[in-house]
Amino acid sequence: MDIHRSVCTAAVVLLLLSFSSFPKPSAGSAARAELVTWKCDNGTYYGENSTYQSNVRSLLASLAANASRSLFPVGFATAVVGASPDMVWGLGLCRGDTTNGTECASSCLDLAPEVAFGRCMGVKDVSIFYDRCTVRYSFRDFLTSPDNRQVQVWGASDDSVAPRDTGRFDALVASLVGALSDWAAFNTTTRYASGVLVSDQGFPTTPSKDLVHRINGLVQCTPDQAPGRCRECLQGLIDEMPAVFNGSVGGRILAVWCNLRFEVHEFYDGSPMLKLTAP
């Protein structure tokens, strides 16, 4: 898997990831989560062995512990540690197909210190995206004013459908993601939905020349959001899709408050919550 990882100083960032599709994890697997990308906001720093570093360490441990104990929503926690000027705010979110918060914490959230004190050592504002969880911490109080534009990361598969089918395929992806967004926002309390859209006609792909008939999708908001706010958050990502995914057979937009992903293979655990058929 070839993933381009980037660090940027901008407050609002849109990064391009080039990646091939992930294999579907086995249901209930506690395998180590895969690091997708991260963002270190290099405009702010702390010193090694400083109070801020100690607070970050305590915060990450608290997020993993609280998420592991959370029965509803499973695998979600926020925390604030320390006092000014070394206060740190944080959020941890497991992917919505998580059924065991302890498992997610041990296999995903517990890995965050590797990035925090490795690739992003000394940086005060850090976002970390694994395939099965998200972690962010900052010296800014981002919890009371959620803004999904602060951190956005997108990536598209190296494979795409044949050029003549691009418009039809992209329209079906948009239809699936829109339906999933409605379901996650208005029909669940977890603010998560997964689903599949099946096309009898299928789509030839390049360069693999495979014929694909299924599009799988997933959307998620943090479960503390009201239905309308969640749907608005996801719509902001949907509006980015035409410029980002031009016939790509897989892609994702990662952000802190909501995210989406689609692939032509299954990549989530459990049965799809929505099953749609292409017209």
Side-chain angles (χ1 to χ4, degrees), residues 24-25 95 97 192 194-196 216-218 266-272:
K24 182 183 183 296
R95 204 171 69 188
D97 52 4
Y192 163 82
S194 61
V196 61
N216 293 276
L218 177 157
E266 286 190 34
F267 58 91
Y268 45 82
D269 293 340
S271 300

Side-chain angles (χ1 to χ4, degrees), residues 29-44:
S29 171
R32 181 184 175 92
E34 182 163 3
L35 179 62
V36 177
T37 192
W38 62 90
K39 175 183 178 280
C40 314
D41 188 341
N42 286 333
T44 54

